[in-house]
Amino acid sequence: MWLLKTEPSVYGYDDLERDGHAVWDGVKNPMALKNLRSMSAGDLAFLYHTGDVKAVVGVAEVTRAAYPDPKAKSKDTKLVVVDLKPLRRLPTNVLLGTLKAMSLFADSPLVRQGRLSVVPLTAAQWKAIERESGR
C-alpha cells in the first residue's frame, strides 16, 4: 500500500478521475524511485494533494508495475513510472495535521521526509486513513 503526493494544480485526483488512467511520472528522488520500483499491479495507493490542500483525497490502483519512463532521455535509465486508475474519492479528506497527530505515523516517511513523493504505508496506517475519511 502506498501514498502518492501530487500538486493538484499540476495533476490532481480530479484529473485522474477525468482521464480514467494516468502514467505516474515526474518522480526523480532516488528513494521515491525505489518505492515506485517496488509497486506491483493491483497495489492500492492513496492520492495526497500537496500545496494549499495537504490532505489525502482519493484511492487509486496500480495497473502496471514500474517501467522505464518513456519521456526520459535515453541516457537516464533510472527514471521509472507506473500506471494508475482511479478507484474512489474519499468521503472526507484526511488532513496532514490529523495524520501527524497520530502516533501510528510518527516514524512514517510521510511526516519524517516531507518531500518524499512516494511513501509506503503499513496496513495499520492504511486502515487509519480509511477510518479518518469516514469510509
Side-chain angles (χ1 to χ4, degrees):
M1 290 169 267
W2 305 94
L3 183 140
L4 302 172
K5 293 181 180 178
T6 184
E7 172 58 54
S9 65
V10 175
Y11 194 88
Y13 196 77
D14 290 341
D15 300 303
L16 182 58
E17 281 186 324
R18 179 196 65 227
D19 296 345
H21 69 282
V23 175
W24 203 257
D25 60 4
V27 176
K28 293 187 174 63
N29 174 285
M31 188 59 173
L33 286 166
K34 180 181 176 193
N35 290 338
L36 273 182
R37 285 187 201 95
S38 297
M39 290 180 167
S40 299
D43 283 358
L44 298 179
F46 282 120
L47 261 64
Y48 172 92
H49 284 175
T50 60
D52 293 338
V53 180
K54 292 184 180 70
V56 182
V57 299
V59 181
E61 180 181 340
V62 176
T63 59
R64 183 176 175 191
Y67 59 96
D69 186 343
K71 294 180 186 174
K73 297 177 182 167
S74 59
K75 62 184 175 194
D76 197 348
T77 58
K78 292 180 273 181
L79 298 180
V80 295
V81 298
V82 297
D83 292 352
L84 298 176
K85 70 176 181 181
L87 290 183
R88 65 185 173 274
R89 183 173 295 280
L90 295 180
T92 303
N93 291 350
V94 181
L95 300 175
L96 177 60
T98 300
L99 299 177
K100 283 184 172 183
M102 301 170 77
S103 60
L104 191 56
F105 287 90
D107 292 327
S108 171
L110 178 62
V111 297
R112 297 183 61 76
Q113 296 173 281
R115 297 190 52 85
L116 189 62
S117 62
V118 182
V119 177
L121 295 174
T122 66
Q125 290 168 336
W126 184 274
K127 286 179 186 174
I129 294 171
E130 289 257 328
R131 185 176 54 251
E132 288 295 322
S133 77
R135 182 148 160 69

